[in-house]
Amino acid sequence: MTTFLLIAAAVLLLAAFLCLYRIGQGPTAPDRTVAIDILGTLVVGFCCIMALWTGQGFYMNIAIAWALLSFIGTIALAKYLEGRYYDE
Amino acid sequence: MNETAAQIIIGVGLAFDLFGCIGLVRLPDVYNRVQAATKCVTLGTCFILLGTAVYGMSAAMGIKAMLCAVFILLTSPVAAHAIARGAYKSGVRLWEGSVVDLYGEEKHPSRPPDERTEPAQAGETLGAGRESG
């Protein structure tokens, strides 16, 4: 199982680096916002891998908190992108 | 047995995550990217959480994993919708190979297709009272 978790962590890191490429290269601000949202979801998966690796249950608490905070941050960024109608 | 099942489920989830991120890099504009990445990564991360629950390290961990999967299934499409709407309203144009723009046709029916992502002008007739939507 440890070898499998090592491979899983490597695949998730590769996916995270693809997201970082899009954050750096994305021609517009919404591209970067999408990549940040996806990166937050990937971190939730990485917390699961860490929980299985170490056997510590508190990583799942981190995953839940990260999912909710990532959602709030993405909504805030999306409202910022609209930029004109603060009362909608 | 549980370990093998958990490895298979987590492996499927990892494949979805990786393909979603490849789509995020490869596809041509923000609307394609948001649909590819959000759907693949949502399903992939839910599979990883399901695999964590199936592995059965402890009951609390499994319950938290399923709770987190429900959160992600609820919040990720909403976030993607908000980003796509924000991108359209901030003036990001569609890829030139796009064939249909139903949101723009409904919102600005009098404009030519190239100018539908521009912000609304004062006094312009808007389509069907959907401006507040």
Side-chain angles (χ1 to χ4, degrees):
Chain A
M1 191 69 181
T2 306
T3 310
F4 176 77
L5 290 177
L6 197 62
I7 296 170
V11 172
L12 279 180
L13 269 181
L14 177 61
F17 273 110
L18 292 176
C19 283
L20 284 178
Y21 170 80
R22 180 51 65 196
I23 290 173
Q25 290 289 318
T28 62
D31 290 306
R32 297 185 167 97
T33 309
V34 172
I36 289 169
D37 180 35
I38 299 306
L39 193 59
T41 312
L42 286 178
V43 168
V44 174
F46 203 83
C47 283
C48 292
I49 303 297
M50 288 298 289
L52 287 180
W53 190 317
T54 61
Q56 301 288 322
F58 68 87
Y59 280 107
M60 298 314 298
N61 301 351
I62 299 174
I64 291 175
W66 197 290
L68 293 176
L69 286 177
S70 167
F71 170 65
I72 292 170
T74 307
I75 292 295
L77 281 172
K79 288 302 284 183
Y80 166 72
L81 286 177
E82 290 186 27
R84 294 182 184 84
Y85 306 106
Y86 289 114
D87 54 343
E88 278 186 54
Chain B
M1 182 60 197
N2 270 354
E3 190 171 322
T4 309
Q7 284 183 3
I8 292 171
I9 294 172
I10 291 177
V12 171
L14 289 171
F16 271 105
D17 272 4
L18 187 61
F19 294 152
C21 286
I22 289 173
L24 184 68
V25 170
R26 289 282 296 156
L27 287 173
D29 75 344
V30 63
Y31 309 104
N32 287 317
R33 282 173 199 146
V34 76
Q35 69 94 13
T38 299
K39 284 189 290 191
C40 286
V41 173
T42 301
L43 190 65
T45 305
C46 283
F47 266 111
I48 293 178
L49 288 158
L50 181 66
T52 308
V54 165
Y55 187 72
M57 194 164 281
S58 67
M61 196 187 283
I63 290 170
K64 283 173 193 168
M66 296 322 292
L67 193 64
C68 194
V70 170
F71 282 155
I72 286 183
L73 279 176
L74 285 177
T75 58
S76 191
V78 179
H81 185 198
I83 292 171
R85 187 165 170 273
Y88 201 98
K89 287 200 169 189
S90 70
V92 178
R93 300 212 167 173
L94 272 68
W95 179 45
E96 62 267 19
S98 303
V99 293
V100 68
D101 178 16
L102 287 176
Y103 184 66
E105 285 170 14
E106 184 177 276
K107 198 165 157 58
H108 302 298
S110 61
R111 293 186 183 182
D114 285 346
E115 298 173 5
R116 279 179 182 145
T117 56
E118 301 298 319
Q121 305 296 321
E124 186 183 21
T125 306
L126 293 167
R130 298 293 183 94
E131 171 62 11
S132 63

